[in-house]
Amino acid sequence: MSVGIRHDDLRRRNRAMVISAVRRAGQPSRTEIAATTGLSHSTISAISADLIQEGILTESKASEPTTLKRGRPQIGLALKPEAAAVLTVVLSLNFLSVAVIDYAGQVIAEEQQRLDTLVMPRDELIGECVAIVRRRLQDPDLDVGSVARIAMGIQGITDTHARAMLWSPITPLTDIPFADILEREFGIPATTENDCNMMAVALQWRDPERYRDDFIAILLSHGIGMGLVLKGALFTGTHSSGGEFGHMIHRPGGALCRCGRRGCVEAYAGNYAIWRSAMKMSEDAEPVDVGDADMRALAAKARAKDGPEREAYRRAGEALGFGLGNLFALIDPAPVAMVGVSAAAFDLIEPALREAIAQTAGGQYSKSISFDTEPNELPLIREGCAMRALTFVDQEIFAPGGQARAGLGKNVA
Amino acid sequence: MSVGIRHDDLRRRNRAMVISAVRRAGQPSRTEIAATTGLSHSTISAISADLIQEGILTESKASEPTTLKRGRPQIGLALKPEAAAVLTVVLSLNFLSVAVIDYAGQVIAEEQQRLDTLVMPRDELIGECVAIVRRRLQDPDLDVGSVARIAMGIQGITDTHARAMLWSPITPLTDIPFADILEREFGIPATTENDCNMMAVALQWRDPERYRDDFIAILLSHGIGMGLVLKGALFTGTHSSGGEFGHMIHRPGGALCRCGRRGCVEAYAGNYAIWRSAMKMSEDAEPVDVGDADMRALAAKARAKDGPEREAYRRAGEALGFGLGNLFALIDPAPVAMVGVSAAAFDLIEPALREAIAQTAGGQYSKSISFDTEPNELPLIREGCAMRALTFVDQEIFAPGGQARAGLGKNVA
DNA sequence: AGGCTTTTTTTCGAGCCCCGAAAAAAGACT
DNA sequence: AGTCTTTTTTCGGGGCTCGAAAAAAAGCCT
């Protein structure tokens, strides 16, 4: 059962709340923080004095010099960029990308690299990941001690505790405990999470208006992935990252999926499936990699005239629609973000998708469901990883439960 | 964003935790409570003294007189039955049932009634519900003032806030705000929740060993319903009670479902669907009501010899299996409880069900998924309603946030 | 320019709450 | 009857938040 609240937890939680309020609002004054948290001015004053003294926050007068109001001007509080740093690692099909991000969320260094994930042996894949991280950490401009967290976003299934990649479409390898490997190698706490979940996290930060409590991020790429936020929190499975939307069964015994099973949504809506269908290949044909450029050309052809290309997108829409409908039967409808190269072809997908949804339990709301598209998934994934890592630092390092803060926040008087 | 923790919340939460510990453990000593909550002995002592003085808890020495240990004997703490009472209302197909339950969870009065829900006009249906509740409340043995909550469990979709029935298979009527109606009528806070969700709540209390953090309760009856507990909490949709497992699409464009759509899981696995299939009727045939006795006879026939009856159960198993597989793709596998009259025929359903799951994303775990059966849903639903109402009293009335407790817990010195 | 008004921020004392240590209580054991 | 063991209560100390009041830092107005 849930444990009691000790008296000292109180300050810890309220500290975390103040930090979180600053991260969310940008440069709020103490008064604003008091308003959003519901705590009294005196409490906010005390906590923020602590945080400034510990080098976690700074005062920044430049809060809207335009607002010429009477009264004592507000002093904006901001996250101190030097308070800490985090490192993000994004591993996707044939592509590895690393970035170093300061405590305020600004990218301060990055590096990208192509690699043949599909054929690399285990040691090599791990080795490349470790090597690129090491290169970034050895950057003389970077204070290695300030790097408080490594967050990895990876295409594939991860475990609930964000320790390992369990299975991935980008490599035949399974069960790689990336988080443990990185921690052992660099002595920095690390996590490994599903890329689509990170996309969802990023959307929540980018547009909290639209993506607040309940929404769905769907990656339309080689495969189909999903990140789900319910009641404000990232939804994961009981054991794994969960949300394997792409592998819900659309047609029992149907088209061959990359995962080896038949009839999955992905076997109709993944890039390879659209391609296979447009080329009039058999539904049993082995999935092939299709480049983004080829997919864009395919979409152009489908737009130009009716034919097998257009039909392929129509079938993709149908599969996505029934899948979404089934999802809506469980969780009710919510705003959807379509991300990835095929999101740019959403105009070809949408009609059949809506028609399919209308035939499902979510159908009553079919018209009111709103879709948004974002063709570029990589920046989203990185952003999500960064925010995940930064909020961890906020909560666990700068508002710790019991044990002292490590070497960070060192600008203490 | 989540609101700050005020200083007074602390005591409130810890009070709630003590009450909850007592409800869970039965007759724990103060020391045991200190252990499970993680709070200090002195705090538990202070809080329980308050609660006893307010007439919410009582000391009950009779805690295992067998344990002859050295040292001061423990004093068991128990919920004081007279501290409050709750009333449960269970409305299902052609059946209405009400019970009054004391604060310790014992049924102290009950009443049941048949009624033709399918054909009753709106006023009459509401009227009967109000009337049966009024009769119970007018019982001279009952102190009406102690009734702190009414919890209604209803077959059908309810809204997230547990205010209204939105849609139900037991009546053509829609959008009946039962909670508001009961509150207005009796001036007692009320809720209206989905029956399968209440089943899940009850299972969690009955067997917390097996049904703790993640599990699924599926009602196999005229229709197919589901209650889902994830990460220890009841899972509901964003707008409605959600979990419309029975109306996930199993075969696009397939058999006619009671809901008017085609290919739903229920259209293969609901009692009417099994019946329709066993009688070799068309998949487009209008759903008919089948009595429990007829279903039991059907199952017996299916067990006796191979034929259309056995095939009907096989197809039901297949539909349930693909449905569960799709669910498992999203949330990972979890223990399942099959409840309702067709749960007694689970032996006929299981083989095809497991085979179907094996073809889905959850398939890897197919063997390890464990099923349990419980043919009688009514007691479960009532128990769930009772626990829901009682924990509400625990949390919101006896550990209130700010405003004083109403007239309850009146045995104050 | 100097005093007044307004708004933000800090200071201060009061009131709670939790905790640890010590004391008290209540039997069992010898 | 005295000692031991375990549970429960009591008591003092340290923290935390809060409200009120004071201080600070402007703009406004005569």
Side-chain angles (χ1 to χ4, degrees):
Chain A
M1 69 162 294
S2 82
V3 82
I5 304 180
R6 320 285 301 293
H7 199 217
D8 15 332
D9 285 346
L10 224 158
R11 191 50 171 269
R12 203 195 104 247
R13 294 200 193 201
N14 287 340
R15 271 175 72 103
M17 193 121 27
V18 170
I19 298 177
S20 147
V22 175
R23 187 172 294 288
R24 244 172 262 263
Q27 288 200 335
S29 70
R30 290 169 174 80
T31 310
E32 282 176 64
I33 298 175
T36 59
T37 59
L39 297 169
S40 72
H41 286 189
S42 25
T43 304
I44 300 301
S45 191
I47 292 177
S48 46
D50 284 359
L51 293 173
I52 290 171
Q53 203 245 339
E54 291 171 35
I56 295 168
L57 298 184
T58 29
E59 297 192 334
S60 71
K61 266 207 196 48
S63 91
E64 298 280 316
T66 49
T67 54
L68 288 180
K69 285 184 307 180
R70 266 166 98 107
R72 179 173 175 173
Q74 325 192 130
I75 307 168
L77 291 176
L79 302 165
K80 190 164 182 171
E82 311 84 51
V86 298
L87 195 144
T88 64
V89 183
V90 178
L91 178 58
S92 44
L93 186 62
N94 298 332
F95 194 76
L96 177 61
S97 149
V98 168
V100 182
I101 287 143
D102 71 25
Y103 188 59
Q106 296 302 307
V107 176
I108 51 183
E110 61 178 307
E111 179 173 347
Q112 309 190 335
Q113 178 183 352
R114 277 198 53 84
L115 68 177
D116 290 321
T117 53
L118 280 169
V119 297
M120 289 175 87
R122 191 179 176 95
D123 292 349
E124 209 174 306
L125 180 63
I126 294 173
E128 288 291 345
C129 290
V130 169
I132 196 172
V133 171
R134 172 162 296 127
R135 278 199 299 278
R136 288 334 316 159
L137 289 177
Q138 284 173 346
D139 185 333
D141 294 347
L142 179 70
D143 170 15
V144 188
S146 73
V147 178
R149 184 88 163 175
I150 301 174
M152 185 167 189
I154 189 167
Q155 203 170 334
I157 301 176
T158 57
D159 69 308
T160 346
H161 302 105
R163 308 305 307 162
M165 178 207 89
L166 304 178
W167 177 90
S168 171
I170 68 167
T171 167
L173 306 169
T174 58
D175 297 296
I176 307 181
F178 277 113
D180 297 330
I181 291 167
L182 292 169
E183 281 185 6
R184 197 160 44 238
E185 199 72 37
F186 303 107
I188 299 172
T191 56
T192 301
E193 293 191 76
N194 173 269
D195 58 343
C196 292
N197 284 348
M198 294 304 96
M199 283 173 12
V201 169
L203 288 169
Q204 213 176 11
W205 282 98
R206 268 199 192 175
D207 186 355
E209 207 56 29
R210 176 175 163 86
Y211 302 110
R212 193 183 5 218
D213 288 343
D214 304 286
F215 65 91
I216 303 167
I218 293 185
L219 178 61
L220 301 178
S221 171
H222 187 62
I224 305 292
M226 178 178 75
L228 190 55
V229 169
L230 293 177
K231 302 187 206 320
L234 198 56
F235 179 88
T236 60
T238 62
H239 305 307
S240 76
S241 46
E244 282 301 307
F245 174 76
H247 301 286
M248 290 175 83
I249 304 293
H250 169 44
R251 292 186 182 277
L256 181 67
C257 179
R258 193 170 47 150
C259 70
R261 289 181 290 266
R262 292 189 161 276
C264 301
V265 169
E266 183 178 304
Y268 297 89
N271 283 354
Y272 66 86
I274 297 175
W275 183 264
R276 185 166 67 182
S277 168
M279 296 298 149
K280 300 195 152 190
M281 294 159 73
S282 154
E283 285 194 339
D284 299 345
E286 272 300 312
V288 290
D289 258 333
V290 188
D292 285 4
D294 287 338
M295 286 309 294
R296 277 190 286 268
L298 193 69
K301 206 179 283 183
R303 277 191 203 96
K305 68 165 186 35
D306 203 354
E309 295 86 4
R310 192 176 290 180
E311 173 65 11
Y313 279 104
R314 203 199 58 73
R315 296 188 54 184
E318 187 186 74
L320 290 169
F322 275 108
L324 272 176
N326 279 346
L327 183 59
F328 289 162
L330 296 173
I331 65 160
D332 294 322
V336 179
M338 293 289 185
V339 185
V341 67
S342 285
F346 189 64
D347 55 315
L348 295 161
I349 291 172
E350 185 169 6
L353 187 153
R354 286 198 184 269
E355 201 178 309
I357 289 183
Q359 292 175 52
T360 68
Q364 39 192 326
Y365 314 99
S366 166
K367 296 258 171 14
S368 68
I369 299 165
S370 85
F371 294 92
D372 202 1
T373 61
E374 164 60 58
N376 210 347
E377 71 262 30
L378 241 107
L380 265 185
I381 299 171
R382 171 200 289 173
E383 218 171 297
C385 286
M387 294 321 296
R388 218 79 224 285
L390 288 170
T391 47
F392 170 87
V393 175
D394 293 349
Q395 308 278 321
E396 304 297 325
I397 301 187
F398 289 158
Q403 66 276 59
R405 287 177 287 297
L408 297 169
K410 47 175 71 72
N411 308 45
V412 183
Chain B
M1 69 164 295
S2 82
V3 81
I5 304 182
R6 318 286 302 293
H7 200 214
D8 15 334
D9 285 346
L10 224 158
R11 191 49 170 273
R12 203 195 103 248
R13 294 200 193 203
N14 287 339
R15 271 174 71 102
M17 193 122 26
V18 170
I19 298 177
S20 148
V22 176
R23 187 171 292 288
R24 245 171 261 264
Q27 287 199 336
S29 70
R30 291 169 174 79
T31 309
E32 282 176 64
I33 298 176
T36 58
T37 59
L39 296 169
S40 73
H41 286 190
S42 28
T43 304
I44 300 300
S45 190
I47 291 176
S48 46
D50 283 358
L51 292 173
I52 290 170
Q53 204 247 339
E54 290 172 35
I56 295 168
L57 298 184
T58 29
E59 297 191 336
S60 71
K61 262 199 201 57
S63 92
E64 298 280 315
T66 50
T67 54
L68 289 179
K69 285 185 308 181
R70 266 167 98 102
R72 178 174 175 172
Q74 323 193 131
I75 307 168
L77 291 177
L79 302 165
K80 189 164 184 173
E82 311 85 52
V86 298
L87 195 144
T88 65
V89 183
V90 178
L91 179 59
S92 43
L93 186 63
N94 297 334
F95 195 76
L96 177 61
S97 150
V98 168
V100 182
I101 287 143
D102 71 24
Y103 188 57
Q106 296 302 307
V107 177
I108 52 184
E110 61 177 308
E111 180 173 345
Q112 309 190 336
Q113 178 182 352
R114 278 198 52 84
L115 69 178
D116 290 321
T117 53
L118 280 168
V119 297
M120 289 176 87
R122 191 181 178 95
D123 291 350
E124 209 174 309
L125 181 64
I126 294 172
E128 288 291 344
C129 291
V130 169
I132 195 171
V133 171
R134 171 162 298 126
R135 278 200 299 277
R136 289 332 317 159
L137 289 177
Q138 283 173 347
D139 185 334
D141 294 346
L142 179 71
D143 170 14
V144 188
S146 73
V147 178
R149 184 88 164 175
I150 301 174
M152 184 168 191
I154 188 166
Q155 205 172 333
I157 302 176
T158 57
D159 69 307
T160 346
H161 302 104
R163 307 305 308 161
M165 177 208 89
L166 303 177
W167 178 90
S168 172
I170 67 167
T171 167
L173 306 169
T174 58
D175 297 296
I176 307 181
F178 278 113
D180 297 330
I181 291 167
L182 292 169
E183 281 185 6
R184 197 162 41 237
E185 200 72 37
F186 303 108
I188 298 171
T191 56
T192 301
E193 295 191 75
N194 174 269
D195 58 344
C196 292
N197 284 347
M198 293 304 94
M199 283 174 12
V201 168
L203 288 169
Q204 213 176 12
W205 281 97
R206 270 198 191 175
D207 186 355
E209 207 55 29
R210 175 176 163 85
Y211 302 111
R212 199 194 346 231
D213 288 343
D214 304 285
F215 65 91
I216 304 167
I218 293 185
L219 178 61
L220 301 178
S221 172
H222 187 62
I224 305 292
M226 178 179 76
L228 190 55
V229 169
L230 293 176
K231 303 188 204 325
L234 198 56
F235 179 88
T236 61
T238 61
H239 304 307
S240 76
S241 45
E244 282 300 306
F245 174 75
H247 301 287
M248 290 176 83
I249 304 293
H250 168 46
R251 294 188 180 277
L256 182 66
C257 178
R258 194 170 47 150
C259 70
R261 290 181 288 266
R262 293 189 160 275
C264 301
V265 169
E266 184 178 303
Y268 297 89
N271 283 355
Y272 66 86
I274 297 175
W275 184 264
R276 185 168 65 184
S277 168
M279 297 298 149
K280 299 197 153 186
M281 295 159 73
S282 153
E283 285 194 340
D284 299 346
E286 271 301 311
V288 289
D289 258 333
V290 188
D292 285 4
D294 287 338
M295 286 309 294
R296 277 190 287 268
L298 193 69
K301 206 179 282 182
R303 277 191 202 96
K305 68 165 185 34
D306 203 355
E309 295 86 6
R310 192 176 290 181
E311 172 65 12
Y313 279 104
R314 205 199 56 72
R315 295 188 54 185
E318 186 186 76
L320 289 169
F322 275 109
L324 272 176
N326 279 346
L327 182 58
F328 290 162
L330 296 173
I331 66 161
D332 293 323
V336 179
M338 292 289 185
V339 185
V341 67
S342 286
F346 189 63
D347 55 315
L348 295 162
I349 291 172
E350 186 169 4
L353 186 152
R354 287 198 185 269
E355 200 179 309
I357 289 183
Q359 292 175 52
T360 67
Q364 39 191 325
Y365 314 99
S366 165
K367 295 257 172 11
S368 68
I369 299 166
S370 85
F371 294 92
D372 200 1
T373 60
E374 164 60 56
N376 209 348
E377 72 263 31
L378 242 107
L380 266 185
I381 299 171
R382 171 200 289 174
E383 217 172 297
C385 286
M387 294 321 296
R388 217 78 222 288
L390 288 170
T391 47
F392 171 86
V393 175
D394 292 348
Q395 308 277 321
E396 304 296 325
I397 301 188
F398 289 158
Q403 66 276 60
R405 288 178 287 297
L408 296 169
K410 47 175 70 76
N411 308 44
V412 183

